[in-house]
Amino acid sequence: METVIQTRNLHKTFYTGEVPVHALKGIDLKVPEGQFVVILGPSGSGKSTLLNILGGMDIPTEGEFIYRGTPLQQMNKHDLTMFRRNAVGFIFQFYNLMPNLTAFENVALAAELTDTPLDSGEVLAEIGLADRKEHFPAQLSGGEQQRVAIARAIAKNPDILLCDEPTGALDYQTGKQVLNYLHKINRERGKTLLVITHNAAIGKMADRVINLKDGRIDRIEENANPVTADEVSW
Ligand code: ADP
Ligand code: MG
């Protein structure tokens, strides 16, 4: 399988406060196409910083991120914009939907920015929201809002899906449902999937679990027999 995501000696230091914060201290990573990777680690270990760099929303202080053989540093502004628009689907903990747009409009707006979008209505139907299309985010439950956010990411037809604590704000059953959707998209559409979580049990669903600790990879576990969310409990 082709390597989709590669990092070499990735460092990130924030100089915003009085003392520099070394959020990432040399991350070396290779993720092949279609892999489901779970990123675990305590709060402040650098998980979001890593995902934001992989999503083209932040840049490393040192080292490189290579997407399908091309270092992002070599991309010009236009290429970078195209990378963010076409290659990456990002899912956040708190959904980040536009409150004044309907579920359908939230999905369609993101899809419109990309080169090879899927049909927004079909994606919403597939995720079980056919009858919620005309609702505004405030009229939807947390789980429904997160499904809209997933539909928004999927409708872009991205190469990689990056999820930062996608179930962090959801109750147990709803969280499981959302994980099942992500798992299904990974398996059926072959999308490379990276999920940040606090929940070690979710690691059982992944092909690989990366444990971050204080800005470094502490441990990597390969999982020969990943299971579905229904087979995991926490
Ligand atoms: P995690 O997602 O694992 O909780 P983060 O990647 O958010 O960790 O943060 C790693 C470290 O970097 C933390 O010490 C955090 O305070 C710091 N950090 C993250 N983003 C910024 C930023 N924009 N400016 C300054 N410090 C930051
Ligand atoms: Mg975080």
Side-chain angles (χ1 to χ4, degrees), residues 33-230:
E33 183 165 6
Q35 193 167 60
F36 177 5
V37 179
V38 156
I39 301 172
L40 286 174
S43 196
S45 56
K47 304 182 298 295
S48 295
T49 302
L50 176 61
L51 218 66
N52 289 340
I53 291 173
L54 300 182
M57 295 187 294
D58 204 348
I59 52 167
T61 312
E62 195 188 317
E64 48 185 6
F65 163 36
I66 302 151
Y67 170 68
R68 289 195 182 270
T70 306
L72 253 71
Q73 283 102 313
Q74 281 178 20
M75 293 186 187
N76 61 29
K77 201 162 178 254
H78 175 262
D79 292 343
L80 269 176
T81 303
M82 290 305 125
F83 166 77
R84 275 190 292 102
R85 282 194 195 168
N86 293 312
V88 182
F90 215 102
I91 294 158
F92 303 90
Q93 180 175 0
F94 297 107
Y95 335 127
N96 293 7
L97 300 174
M98 303 280 284
N100 59 337
L101 298 182
T102 64
F104 179 82
E105 288 166 347
N106 265 282
V107 176
L109 182 69
E112 263 173 35
L113 291 173
T114 71
D115 290 340
T116 56
L118 304 177
D119 184 274
S120 297
E122 280 175 23
V123 175
L124 277 164
E126 213 175 284
I127 211 156
L129 292 172
D131 55 349
R132 294 283 188 280
K133 278 196 310 210
E134 303 309 323
H135 287 62
F136 291 98
Q139 299 170 319
L140 299 169
S141 70
E144 287 169 338
Q145 289 184 61
Q146 191 59 302
R147 273 147 67 199
V148 174
I150 293 173
R152 177 178 59 185
I154 300 303
K156 293 176 67 183
N157 200 12
D159 190 22
I160 53 182
L161 273 175
L162 305 175
C163 315
D164 195 344
E165 309 215 21
T167 63
L170 303 175
D171 65 68
Y172 184 74
Q173 284 306 334
T174 312
K176 277 201 165 185
Q177 198 187 17
V178 161
L179 284 169
N180 268 331
Y181 280 123
L182 291 171
H183 203 201
K184 188 165 171 260
I185 290 152
N186 164 253
R187 291 292 181 261
E188 290 177 5
R189 296 188 185 270
K191 305 287 185 198
T192 307
L193 173 64
L194 272 64
V195 175
I196 289 179
T197 176
H198 266 105
N199 187 348
I202 294 173
K204 294 196 175 73
M205 295 176 64
D207 299 305
R208 192 198 277 184
V209 180
I210 295 172
N211 290 273
L212 285 191
K213 193 174 161 186
D214 195 22
R216 293 191 177 88
I217 294 180
D218 184 46
R219 206 167 67 247
I220 296 184
E221 297 154 68
E222 305 287 342
N223 200 353
N225 298 301
V227 300
T228 66
D230 299 324

